[in-house]
Structures are given as C-alpha cells and as structure tokens.
Amino acid sequence: MIKLESVSVPATSRFASLYQEQKQPVVDYFHYQLKDETVYENRLAELKKQIISTRKLSSKYKELYETVPYFR
C-alpha cells in the first residue's frame, strides 16, 4: 500500500497560486478538487481503469522519433 503525505509547495506563478487556492478560472481546467479528501484515492481508481496499449504507444513513439530531426 502506498502511503501519501501532504507536502506544501510554494506557488511560483499566478496560475499556480490560483490552483492551490482552488479559485476561478483555474479550477475549470481540472476535473478534480484539491480540497477533496478523497482526491488521491479517486485519481488512483481512475488510473487503474485506464488500459494503455503499449504496442500502440511504442509504435507512435517510433513514428515520432523517426520524423523529428532533433530526436536523432
């Protein structure tokens, strides 16, 4: 089981400050609320439901790698 801790990180921009304070219009960009006590458990449950095709992902990465000059 993963143990979660609360860590205080100073905001370095107005966007980050509004996010930490959970104020408009920034909260509209996120589908979860930091003040929700179950936010981490809910996010973990969402991630467990996602199915990622590693073959498809690696194929797309290879395509990108072969077409973008600065990746070589």
Side-chain angles (χ1 to χ4, degrees):
M1 183 59 121
I2 296 174
K3 181 181 176 186
L4 300 175
E5 290 184 24
S6 179
V7 178
S8 178
V9 179
T12 57
S13 70
R14 182 72 179 137
F15 184 87
S17 295
L18 291 173
Y19 176 69
Q20 285 183 337
E21 296 166 12
Q22 292 289 277
K23 292 187 175 177
Q24 297 291 338
V26 174
V27 292
D28 293 338
Y29 293 100
F30 300 90
H31 67 279
Y32 50 88
Q33 302 293 318
L34 287 179
K35 307 275 186 211
D36 180 359
E37 292 184 16
T38 61
V39 67
Y40 297 110
E41 290 85 358
N42 294 343
R43 182 66 180 133
L44 180 60
E46 287 177 18
L47 291 172
K48 285 182 176 180
K49 291 180 193 174
Q50 291 181 358
I51 298 172
I52 299 172
S53 169
T54 54
R55 288 182 195 263
K56 187 175 180 180
L57 181 62
S58 63
S59 172
K60 291 295 181 186
Y61 177 79
K62 184 178 177 188
E63 284 177 28
L64 178 65
Y65 183 82
E66 292 172 345
T67 58
V68 179
Y70 59 80
F71 278 169
R72 292 185 216 164

